[in-house]
Amino acid sequence: MISTSDLKTGLTIEYDDSIWRVVEFQHVKPGKGAAFVRSKLKNLRTGALQDKTFRAGEKFETAHIETKTMQYLYEDNGNHVFMDTSTYEQLDIPGERIEEELNYMKENMEVSIMMYGSEVIGVEVPTKVELKVVETEPGIRGDTSGGGSKPATLETGAVVIVPLFVNKDDVLVINTDEGTYVSRA
């Protein structure tokens, strides 16, 4: 058990029959009345963000989230198959649970699977991934006064905005947190 004074960013807690990660928090001591904690929590099962206010001294159960390194193998009828790299056990995760992450995952890529007991909470892809451009318009120089940009479709189906000099079949480094172009690989 932990109390509100132990809350910190990144901590996972059990609250209201769900698992929450503390995104941000602030201890408030008003001039009149009791102290309290304002927090922003992310529900790890649904992905929803909620603002919660707790009285000082309120207690929570910590949620122990285990992270396993697994390799993404393939998609099979809407389920995505991952293999534990140490035990070779396979795990199926429905596509609806990991829609955002699928934009940056390609076969045989190693990812981190977050688990609470035997329940899969989510998938964490590396912060930067290298993906190939499968479709983009040719960039025409002289059309813009500034840098200029255009959309490009990647091998996973994700669409990112790239500079005009990027061509089809280029391999790009993509930031998965923001879904943005970083550089050529």
Side-chain angles (χ1 to χ4, degrees):
M1 292 287 273
I2 61 164
S3 75
T4 52
S5 60
D6 300 321
L7 282 183
K8 57 183 180 251
T9 304
L11 185 74
T12 50
I13 60 170
E14 288 180 46
Y15 177 74
D16 270 353
D17 297 328
S18 202
I19 303 159
W20 303 84
R21 172 170 283 138
V22 179
V23 177
E24 56 185 61
F25 69 98
Q26 177 185 16
H27 291 278
V28 180
K29 295 179 185 149
K32 182 180 178 186
F36 58 92
V37 176
R38 276 195 195 107
S39 64
K40 184 176 277 187
L41 304 176
K42 180 178 183 175
N43 187 322
L44 294 182
R45 288 188 174 124
T46 64
L49 282 171
Q50 261 189 349
D51 292 320
K52 295 275 187 189
T53 303
F54 302 108
R55 291 185 308 274
E58 216 170 308
K59 302 249 184 243
F60 307 102
E61 198 68 44
T62 54
H64 298 287
I65 305 294
E66 183 184 351
T67 304
K68 286 185 177 180
T69 300
M70 294 186 130
Q71 186 177 31
Y72 174 56
L73 297 179
Y74 57 90
E75 187 256 338
D76 179 37
N77 294 330
N79 285 331
H80 297 270
V81 182
F82 295 83
M83 179 183 67
D84 190 320
T85 53
S86 56
T87 64
Y88 302 108
E89 286 179 38
Q90 291 189 0
L91 176 71
D92 288 17
I93 301 176
E96 325 60 83
R97 298 281 310 270
I98 56 171
E99 281 180 27
E100 185 65 35
E101 293 83 357
L102 286 172
N103 287 326
Y104 309 108
M105 286 181 357
K106 55 185 182 180
E107 291 183 356
N108 301 319
M109 176 185 267
E110 288 201 348
V111 296
S112 297
I113 305 284
M114 297 181 299
M115 300 185 81
Y116 177 68
S118 61
E119 178 188 359
V120 174
I121 298 296
V123 175
E124 281 184 1
V125 292
T127 308
K128 291 185 178 161
V129 294
E130 294 183 3
L131 296 170
K132 186 176 174 182
V133 176
V134 292
E135 186 184 321
T136 188
E137 306 162 0
I140 296 144
R141 298 193 74 154
D143 281 357
T144 62
S145 60
S149 59
K150 61 184 180 178
T153 305
L154 305 174
E155 62 188 300
T156 58
V159 177
V160 295
I161 302 298
V162 297
L164 290 174
F165 60 79
V166 173
N167 299 312
K168 184 178 177 193
D169 296 329
D170 285 356
V171 178
L172 307 178
V173 177
I174 304 296
N175 178 329
T176 58
D177 292 337
E178 293 144 21
T180 55
Y181 164 86
V182 176
S183 66
R184 280 185 179 163

